[in-house]
Amino acid sequence: MSRLFVFSMVLGLLAGWGCGGKQDPGVFALGDQTYVQELRLEGVRSFDAADVLQLLVNRPQGWNPIESRRTFQAASLEADAARIRTFYRERGHFDVQVTYDEPRYVEERARVFLRFHVVEGPRYWVHPGSQLYFAVEGLSASQADAVNRGLKLRADQPFDLAVWESARQEVRRRLQEQGFARARVDMRVYVFPAEGQEGYEEMRAAAGDRPVAPGTAQVFYFVEPGEACVFGEMQVRGSRHVPEAEVLKRLPMRTAPRSGAQEEGKDVRPFLYRHSFLELAQRRLYETGAFSSVIVRTDADQEDTRRSWGGRPSGELVHDPLGPALGRFHGTASSSAGRLVWDVESIPATGYPEVVAQAGEGGASFGRMRVRSPRVNVEIEVGEYPAQTYRSGLGVGLESGRMELYGRGEARWRHVLAPLNRIELDSRVGYAVIPSVLQAQAEGFVGRGRLAYIRPGFLGTQMDLTLSIRHEEGLEEAYRFGSPQARVGITRRIGRHFSADVGYNIDVFFIRQDALAATDSQGNLPGQFMLGYLDTTLRYDRRDAPLQAMRGFYLELYSELGQNVLFGDYLYARIQPDVRVFLPLTRRMTLATRASYGHVFSADPPVLRTQRLYGGGGDSFRGLPRRRLSTYEYVRGDGSTTGDALCLLDLGSRRCSPVPVGAFSMALATVELRMALASRTLFLAVFTDAGNVAGRGQAMRWSLDGDGLQLASGAGLRLATPIGPARFDVGYRYTDGLAYSDLRSRFGFFFSIGEAF
């Protein structure tokens, strides 16, 4: 109990230290600074007020302890009102009105209360007869089809600028993928006021006898592809320790030869410009681990092509925007009876994403782009990490069934023996306490250390070699161990999303303590043994953000093949596929699902329980403590063992204790609903976990009981941090079994950094 008390004190100190920068909500005065105590948004009906609030400069201080303090800025009130108007106009409320009251100060001007009044007005729709897309001459039929194919543009829906702006950027990206580096895609939006709104009568008068559609918005795309381009000269800036040649050979594109240039025996075919090559080049350079920043520019992005386009003079309509849904742009365009509210220019000088600007009167006239050269030169600006970096810190692991306090240290030495090669040292030392099945608790020092030499580009630019040695001192349920290990691994990246990792491992185990050592169990661990195995991991990752995914999917296949020919004592195979899918339901809500399965194939003697399958814990089945989802053996007081859990009901000398020995088959599934709160820094999650295990040669029982399918539900909070979300979950297990009779409650709590998956 004394050690549990020490852990509680440490947690309290850490919590107090972490929140030390957070003042009491009633104390706001720091010198002469004024803080916003409360801000009210009255009249916000169609949207979430939190989405509007997060755009404002003047807003109340959040409770997030890592968030910097915000002071009241009176000069920004009008700018905040303009931000609210823009928010609504981007979503089709073009007649929105926003006003605000005079600030109300209290406590000697230390705090201020603000109030904004919003009159939303009607929401405009995109008329079914709109000109959804204009194309100019310069594209072949197949190219035009590739640009248009699959664009999800619908007219019969409320206007949302983000949808149309995203499609505009997608059109430009598709043109650039076909070699049109200087492609220009402009968008204009005209509004036809609704009845009773400002400008309605003028619109009717201007339209004359022609039909108009009040309360609608008309959208136009103007496309000028320019000429097809090839990659030109490549320049690297900012590189000190890494030679320019090392950077250039990792690029997916090469310099096009000058006109008439021919190098004997070399491939001089020009590389057609593709914008995705720039993104791929940036990612490849980041993956070397040598650069803290990588910026890839082209002279096409740096040119201001308005001069070659002849500006944007005003003009009159040649094509009526209320005409057919698809047309060809011939010259100039204007709105007939509508008013221009958004005029978005695609000028390469702005890079991407393009600037969205609100405009007044004016028009557009486009001539053919006069490209001076079909060659696009590339400039790569890199920022290198220091040759040596060191980091250290303290942490705490807290969940049902295990508490751990630890310190971590990391060191990186770069450009060892050759450019880009590096040595990594990672260490973690702590003290852990876990419940024991045979005594009050098990505790002791735990830790692991790893020293690795990494050589990027070992075979080709996309294959890396890793040589590592590591040592681990571990404390697990019913045994503790020490294990020196060595690994030789090769990582291969294929394309943007696929990677493969293959390695050969030698692990030596020294068993310090085993709950089954003095029993007649065949599952007890030898005092020393060795494993030699080949591991393979295949990954296909289409998530938008690995640390906190909101959309996409992730596929992984892990396999492990143990052999008893080269340094191994056991012959076995393990395979574990894992599938994760993330579906955005709304802007603030995501449905995350996960399904995984594992199976161990083993010859005689069966592989020891160190390599078997276990579930439970914050990253697995949250209805049980870590590694407690397992098959069990039951140890009686006289040292005999049995596989029958009924011995737990015996009140005499034959009463036994459960010992998890690992499963040969395991299935896990999770459904989790994640909802953003508090300006997207705080998230709420509601989850349901399911898990099932089976022993060697056994089939899984799918009945919902203690010996079959296990089911748990719960909820948790996530706080966004720079290193991933801090997560706290509470789960409740619906099912119960004799193997869990030593657990005091069906509730479990789990605190960690990072999502469960």
Side-chain angles (χ1 to χ4, degrees):
M1 293 299 295
S2 61
R3 290 185 175 86
L4 293 177
F5 176 75
V6 171
F7 265 105
S8 301
M9 292 294 295
V10 170
L11 288 176
L13 291 173
L14 288 175
W17 173 77
C19 298
K22 180 65 178 176
Q23 298 184 358
D24 185 277
V27 181
F28 283 82
L30 294 176
D32 297 329
Q33 296 179 334
T34 302
Y35 295 90
V36 178
Q37 171 68 14
E38 182 181 344
L39 186 148
R40 293 185 179 180
L41 294 172
E42 297 186 349
V44 177
R45 302 286 186 268
S46 302
F47 306 101
D48 191 337
D51 289 337
V52 181
L53 186 64
Q54 68 178 352
L55 302 174
L56 307 184
V57 172
N58 294 299
R59 63 181 189 269
Q61 179 67 35
W63 57 268
N64 191 338
I66 67 174
E67 186 178 22
S68 59
R69 301 288 291 178
R70 289 190 297 269
T71 59
F72 171 60
Q73 301 181 30
S76 298
L77 283 175
E78 183 56 42
D80 282 341
R83 291 184 180 94
I84 298 175
R85 296 187 195 101
T86 300
F87 176 89
Y88 271 89
R89 287 169 179 168
E90 288 177 348
R91 291 157 180 80
H93 292 266
F94 293 102
D95 301 312
V96 64
Q97 299 179 18
V98 181
T99 58
Y100 55 90
D101 297 341
E102 286 295 321
R104 182 168 62 89
Y105 296 92
V106 296
E107 296 186 8
E108 298 181 353
R109 303 181 69 86
R111 297 186 294 171
V112 63
F113 291 80
L114 303 177
R115 179 179 298 177
F116 286 84
H117 303 272
V118 179
V119 180
E120 295 181 338
R123 189 172 189 183
Y124 287 61
W125 284 54
V126 180
H127 193 275
S130 298
Q131 291 288 154
L132 301 183
Y133 184 76
F134 276 94
V136 297
E137 297 180 359
L139 295 176
S140 66
S142 61
Q143 290 173 328
D145 180 67
V147 171
N148 284 288
R149 188 185 306 118
L151 286 178
K152 298 179 180 179
L153 298 178
R154 292 175 47 210
D156 56 338
Q157 62 182 349
F159 177 81
D160 190 337
L161 182 66
V163 173
W164 298 90
E165 170 64 6
S166 176
R168 184 183 71 85
Q169 295 185 26
E170 175 64 15
V171 169
R172 186 171 184 234
R173 186 195 67 81
R174 292 182 180 186
L175 288 168
Q176 290 180 324
E177 283 302 287
Q178 299 184 55
F180 301 104
R182 297 178 174 88
R184 179 168 177 171
V185 182
D186 288 15
M187 178 177 70
R188 304 177 79 187
V189 180
Y190 295 94
V191 166
F192 295 83
E195 186 173 358
Q197 301 298 322
E198 181 182 357
Y200 174 76
E201 297 299 334
E202 291 81 354
M203 177 194 69
R204 296 288 303 180
D209 296 333
R210 288 178 299 173
V212 294
T216 61
Q218 306 290 334
V219 184
F220 299 85
Y221 288 137
F222 304 97
V223 179
E224 177 61 59
E227 298 180 5
C229 299
V230 296
F231 283 103
E233 300 294 334
M234 311 283 178
Q235 292 186 345
V236 179
R237 301 183 184 277
S239 179
R240 296 177 300 167
H241 299 92
V242 182
E244 181 176 357
E246 288 289 334
V247 176
L248 293 179
K249 77 178 185 179
R250 282 168 171 78
L251 304 183
M253 61 282 193
R254 294 291 181 267
T255 299
R258 293 288 182 181
S259 177
Q262 182 74 27
E263 297 183 46
E264 184 177 355
K266 292 186 178 181
D267 186 359
V268 295
R269 292 175 297 174
F271 271 68
L272 185 68
Y273 179 90
R274 290 177 58 185
H275 195 274
S276 61
F277 280 178
L278 306 181
E279 299 172 350
L280 181 57
Q282 184 182 51
R283 187 174 71 254
R284 285 186 179 181
L285 293 177
Y286 272 126
E287 288 172 348
T288 63
F291 304 109
S292 59
S293 65
V294 179
I295 301 174
V296 183
R297 306 186 186 93
T298 70
D299 54 8
D301 289 334
Q302 296 170 354
E303 293 175 358
D304 186 344
T305 59
R306 282 175 293 189
R307 296 179 181 178
S308 61
W309 282 66
R312 293 173 62 84
S314 60
E316 277 302 317
L317 264 186
V318 172
H319 198 85
D320 191 339
L322 298 178
L326 185 64
R328 185 171 295 277
F329 176 65
H330 295 291
T332 59
S334 66
S335 63
S336 288
R339 71 174 187 270
L340 176 65
V341 293
W342 290 99
D343 195 0
V344 185
E345 294 189 48
S346 173
I347 300 173
T350 64
Y352 66 96
E354 285 79 10
V355 174
V356 177
Q358 192 170 2
E361 298 180 356
S365 178
F366 304 101
R368 295 293 298 169
M369 178 186 288
R370 296 186 296 274
V371 179
R372 291 181 292 275
S373 170
R375 296 167 59 88
V376 176
N377 299 322
V378 179
E379 178 182 283
I380 302 168
E381 183 176 344
V382 298
E384 294 185 358
Y385 280 117
Q388 301 92 25
T389 56
Y390 306 91
R391 295 194 303 176
S392 61
L394 295 175
V396 60
L398 180 63
E399 64 179 56
S400 295
R402 187 181 183 98
M403 294 180 290
E404 183 177 342
L405 180 67
Y406 58 86
R408 296 191 62 177
E410 296 179 357
R412 301 288 186 271
W413 296 276
R414 297 178 176 84
H415 315 300
V416 178
L417 302 180
L420 299 180
N421 295 0
R422 65 184 186 274
I423 293 178
E424 298 181 352
L425 175 63
D426 301 296
S427 62
R428 171 172 168 164
V429 179
Y431 194 87
V433 177
I434 65 174
S436 174
V437 296
L438 299 181
Q439 56 187 13
Q441 65 183 24
E443 56 188 291
F445 286 98
V446 295
R448 59 176 177 263
R450 173 179 176 269
L451 181 65
Y453 176 75
I454 302 173
R455 182 180 177 184
F458 172 65
L459 293 175
T461 59
Q462 294 302 292
M463 188 172 292
D464 301 342
L465 173 68
T466 302
L467 306 175
S468 66
I469 55 174
R470 56 195 189 275
H471 183 83
E472 181 176 3
E473 289 289 332
L475 176 64
E476 299 295 355
E477 194 82 24
Y479 71 94
R480 60 178 304 128
F481 66 94
S483 177
Q485 306 162 7
R487 184 177 190 270
V488 178
I490 294 179
T491 302
R492 176 72 165 91
R493 292 172 294 275
I494 304 173
R496 298 180 58 186
H497 309 289
F498 184 79
S499 65
D501 183 82
V502 180
Y504 187 78
N505 302 259
I506 298 176
D507 297 356
V508 180
F509 282 83
F510 298 95
I511 304 303
R512 316 290 193 200
Q513 181 181 351
D514 182 11
L516 298 178
T519 70
D520 60 359
S521 171
Q522 295 184 0
N524 54 22
L525 299 171
Q528 177 181 337
F529 61 94
M530 181 181 294
L531 296 176
Y533 59 92
L534 179 73
D535 68 86
T536 303
T537 304
L538 305 178
R539 298 184 182 91
Y540 187 70
D541 192 349
R542 295 300 300 266
R543 295 173 294 180
D544 58 343
L547 289 180
Q548 196 168 17
M550 302 294 288
R551 67 176 67 242
F553 63 91
Y554 174 86
L555 307 176
E556 179 180 294
L557 178 62
Y558 174 81
S559 63
E560 189 174 302
L561 178 61
Q563 48 74 43
N564 53 10
V565 177
L566 183 62
F567 303 117
D569 295 335
Y570 295 89
L571 178 63
Y572 71 97
R574 185 170 72 178
I575 184 169
Q576 290 180 262
D578 190 351
V579 179
R580 309 172 193 180
V581 179
F582 305 89
L583 300 174
L585 303 181
T586 66
R587 294 178 60 195
R588 305 172 66 87
M589 188 179 300
T590 297
L591 181 65
T593 61
R594 178 184 184 181
S596 64
Y597 178 80
H599 191 82
V600 177
F601 305 88
S602 181
D604 288 322
V607 66
L608 297 175
R609 64 184 197 264
T610 58
Q611 303 305 107
R612 298 179 190 174
L613 303 169
Y614 297 86
D619 298 333
S620 178
F621 177 74
R622 284 166 283 189
L624 287 169
R626 180 174 175 266
R627 295 172 68 91
R628 286 302 300 269
L629 183 62
S630 168
T631 58
Y632 285 80
E633 287 190 8
Y634 302 91
V635 182
R636 300 187 181 98
D638 59 2
S640 62
T641 60
T642 179
D644 189 354
L646 293 177
C647 68
L648 293 166
L649 301 177
D650 197 324
L651 299 179
S653 61
R654 302 290 289 176
R655 180 175 175 82
C656 57
S657 299
V659 177
V661 295
F664 283 79
S665 298
M666 183 174 68
L668 295 171
T670 295
V671 177
E672 185 170 291
L673 186 64
R674 301 170 181 173
M675 295 165 282
L677 308 172
S679 301
R680 302 185 186 278
T681 60
L682 182 68
F683 294 80
L684 171 67
V686 180
F687 60 85
T688 296
D689 293 347
N692 203 352
V693 294
R696 187 185 186 199
Q698 297 177 345
M700 290 185 181
R701 295 182 64 253
W702 295 100
S703 58
L704 195 62
D705 55 37
D707 297 326
L709 179 65
Q710 304 296 308
L711 191 65
S713 292
L717 295 175
R718 286 95 170 95
L719 178 65
T721 71
I723 59 175
R727 174 168 55 95
F728 179 76
D729 290 333
V730 176
Y732 176 79
R733 188 179 73 259
Y734 298 110
T735 52
D736 200 11
L738 293 176
Y740 313 129
S741 59
D742 61 311
L743 301 178
R744 296 181 179 180
S745 172
R746 296 191 189 185
F747 283 98
F749 61 90
F750 310 90
F751 176 78
S752 59
I753 298 294
E755 289 287 4
F757 61 93

